[in-house]
Amino acid sequence: MGAKYTHKCNKCGYSVSTSGPWEFYRDSEGNRKFFGHPSPNSEEARQSGIQGLFGNLYCPKCDKVFDLVLDEYKKPTFNKIDMWLGRCESTDKYNQEDAVKCPICGNTDLILKPLENEEIVCPRCGKGKLVGKMDWGS
């Protein structure tokens, strides 16, 4: 169930957008490709199955958004219900708590959706807090 989020400073108005999780597959060369959402966007995607999930996550330390794999499965799935219910077996890398991290600083506290009970200080003005909201979901 993918969604797009906006995180906006309540003082200076700075904002950053995140989105995901989104399905992906691997082509014959091993390259990650967008699977399509809610259905496959190509015959190649349909035949390949869903290999995992990715998202556009925000690193508050680097003040950047990164396109990162959130989970990758040992075997592709052809059943989205199994995927969304957590029935797909993750590769060893994605069974580790720190598998998803900022490629620049290594921070593992990345933001996808608005955080409850946690405030992020605005990286631009240093005075406000980033307040998140969902723009849309699918």
Side-chain angles (χ1 to χ4, degrees):
M1 305 281 195
K4 180 178 180 264
Y5 305 95
T6 299
H7 312 270
K8 186 174 181 177
C9 177
N10 60 6
K11 294 285 185 200
C12 72
Y14 170 69
S15 70
V16 63
S17 294
T18 59
S19 70
W22 307 112
E23 303 91 340
F24 74 87
Y25 71 97
R26 299 264 180 205
D27 68 13
S28 60
E29 296 174 3
N31 299 310
R32 180 168 50 105
K33 302 275 190 128
F34 179 56
F35 180 82
H37 186 82
S39 57
N41 63 4
S42 69
E43 184 59 23
E44 180 184 42
R46 188 187 67 72
Q47 289 183 8
S48 297
I50 300 167
Q51 188 69 49
L53 297 168
F54 75 96
N56 296 300
L57 282 74
Y58 175 66
C59 177
K61 290 184 180 179
C62 293
D63 190 23
K64 294 185 185 295
V65 174
F66 297 97
D67 174 356
L68 299 171
V69 172
L70 303 171
D71 195 5
E72 188 157 5
Y73 311 132
K74 288 186 176 180
K75 293 187 241 177
T77 184
F78 297 87
N79 183 341
K80 281 192 174 195
I81 293 171
D82 284 343
M83 181 190 68
W84 291 117
L85 291 177
R87 296 179 186 152
C88 297
E89 188 178 0
S90 299
T91 62
D92 292 341
K93 175 182 177 181
Y94 291 96
N95 280 323
Q96 299 173 18
E97 278 187 43
D98 64 347
V100 182
K101 57 188 166 191
C102 175
I104 294 176
C105 72
N107 178 23
T108 57
D109 293 324
L110 304 176
I111 299 169
L112 171 60
K113 59 185 181 176
L115 303 172
E116 292 181 32
N117 304 322
E118 220 177 302
E119 295 182 340
I120 304 295
V121 175
C122 177
R124 298 289 166 101
C125 72
K127 297 175 185 170
K129 307 288 184 204
L130 293 182
V131 178
K133 70 175 184 71
M134 183 178 2
D135 295 327
W136 53 263
S138 64

